[in-house]
């Protein structure tokens, strides 16, 4: 059975499941795009989707933005792939380990949202978040008490000092060795 025939059977499966028309159309669009934009080029089928080919599909930000609803469409896209997985499983196109692999891959919504954000150029604000936390009054109180007790030999305090002072970890170690010499 070709992927096009499976696509027709997938549509029939969703209609028998009484999914709404909008969901059916979106799911079909996702699977068609996957087939036509990725699987064809890698000579793969719906039963042989691997992590690499799905990563290639999710790298297509322009397609995701123009046809699948951008960032908001990613969870729906993954739900479409989970629905496809269920269809392939019921019809015995995939078995055992492949089912588990598909489910693991298509349930990782947070990863694909973060990937989308990275590809769209959104920056990671972890460092700013840590600085914000450490500049509030409670943090100052804790830091002052730590200084009073002189527990800078604890690894956590050393790492915190490096983060607060924007010192790369390797440079800090060199500087520390020079001070002790």
């Amino acid at each position: 059975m070709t992927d096009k025939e499976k696509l027709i059977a997938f549509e029939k499966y969703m209609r028998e499941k009484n999914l709404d028309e909008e969901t059916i159309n979106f799911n079909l669009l996702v699977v068609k795009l996957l087939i036509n934009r990725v699987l064809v080029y890698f000579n793969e089928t719906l039963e042989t989707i691997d992590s690499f080919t799905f990563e290639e599909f999710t790298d297509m930000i322009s397609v995701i933005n123009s046809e699948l609803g951008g960032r908001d469409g990613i969870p729906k896209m993954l739900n479409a792939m989970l629905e496809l997985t269920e269809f392939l499983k019921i019809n015995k196109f995939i078995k055992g380990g492949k089912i588990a692999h598909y489910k693991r891959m298509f349930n990782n919504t947070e990863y694909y949202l973060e990937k989308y954000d990275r590809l769209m150029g959104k920056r990671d604000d972890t460092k700013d978040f840590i600085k914000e936390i450490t500049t509030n009054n409670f943090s100052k109180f804790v830091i002052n008490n730590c200084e009073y007790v002189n527990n800078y030999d604890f690894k956590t305090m050393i790492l915190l000092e490096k983060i607060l002072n924007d010192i790369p970890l390797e440079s800090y170690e060199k500087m520390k060795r020079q001070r002790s010499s």
Side-chain angles (χ1 to χ4, degrees):
M1 183 178 256
T2 67
D3 278 350
K4 290 185 185 204
E5 293 169 328
K6 287 181 200 123
L7 196 58
I8 293 167
F10 180 49
E11 180 178 5
K12 183 179 176 193
Y13 163 80
M14 289 188 292
R15 291 196 188 286
E16 288 172 357
K17 231 178 137 179
N18 293 323
L19 295 179
D20 62 277
E21 195 64 32
E22 184 180 329
T23 303
I24 291 171
N25 290 333
F26 185 83
N27 291 356
L28 289 173
L29 175 63
V30 169
V31 176
K32 282 178 191 175
L33 289 171
L34 177 65
I35 292 168
N36 296 328
R37 304 265 178 115
V38 178
L39 297 180
V40 166
Y41 296 108
F42 291 103
N43 202 22
E44 299 214 8
T45 65
L46 292 174
E47 300 98 357
T48 60
I49 302 169
D50 59 14
S51 299
F52 175 76
T53 53
F54 196 67
E55 286 293 321
E56 286 296 314
F57 183 59
T58 57
D59 283 348
M60 298 178 163
I61 296 300
S62 60
V63 171
I64 291 171
N65 285 337
S66 66
E67 300 192 42
L68 301 176
R71 189 178 199 282
D72 295 335
I74 291 174
K76 290 174 27 180
M77 176 182 78
L78 294 170
N79 285 337
M81 296 307 295
L82 286 170
E83 195 69 51
L84 175 70
T85 301
E86 198 57 34
F87 162 76
L88 294 171
K89 176 180 121 183
I90 288 170
N91 289 290
K92 298 186 184 347
F93 292 121
I94 58 174
K95 297 175 186 163
K98 197 64 160 174
I99 295 167
H101 174 69
Y102 278 25
K103 286 184 178 182
R104 202 171 34 254
M105 189 166 43
F106 304 140
N107 269 313
N108 203 351
T109 307
E110 275 307 307
Y111 167 77
Y112 290 109
L113 289 171
E114 287 175 14
K115 178 181 177 183
Y116 177 86
D117 289 342
R118 273 193 323 272
L119 292 172
M120 290 299 292
K122 304 229 170 101
R123 67 185 208 98
D124 183 15
D125 61 349
T126 306
K127 194 177 202 179
D128 294 332
F129 176 74
I130 291 171
K131 281 188 177 187
E132 177 68 30
I133 288 174
T134 57
T135 57
N136 69 30
N137 288 334
F138 176 71
S139 297
K140 286 180 183 176
F141 173 75
V142 170
I143 290 170
N144 286 336
N145 283 324
C146 288
E147 287 177 353
Y148 178 74
V149 176
N150 192 17
N151 60 4
Y152 271 110
D153 289 336
F154 292 113
K155 289 180 182 179
T156 305
M157 292 306 297
I158 293 169
L159 288 174
L160 183 60
E161 183 182 6
K162 291 176 192 178
I163 292 169
L164 288 173
N165 294 319
D166 287 329
I167 300 172
L169 299 181
E170 301 82 32
S171 300
Y172 183 84
E173 295 302 321
K174 288 178 188 174
M175 186 175 72
K176 188 175 163 186
R177 278 185 249 138
Q178 289 173 350
R179 273 195 233 160
S180 62
S181 303

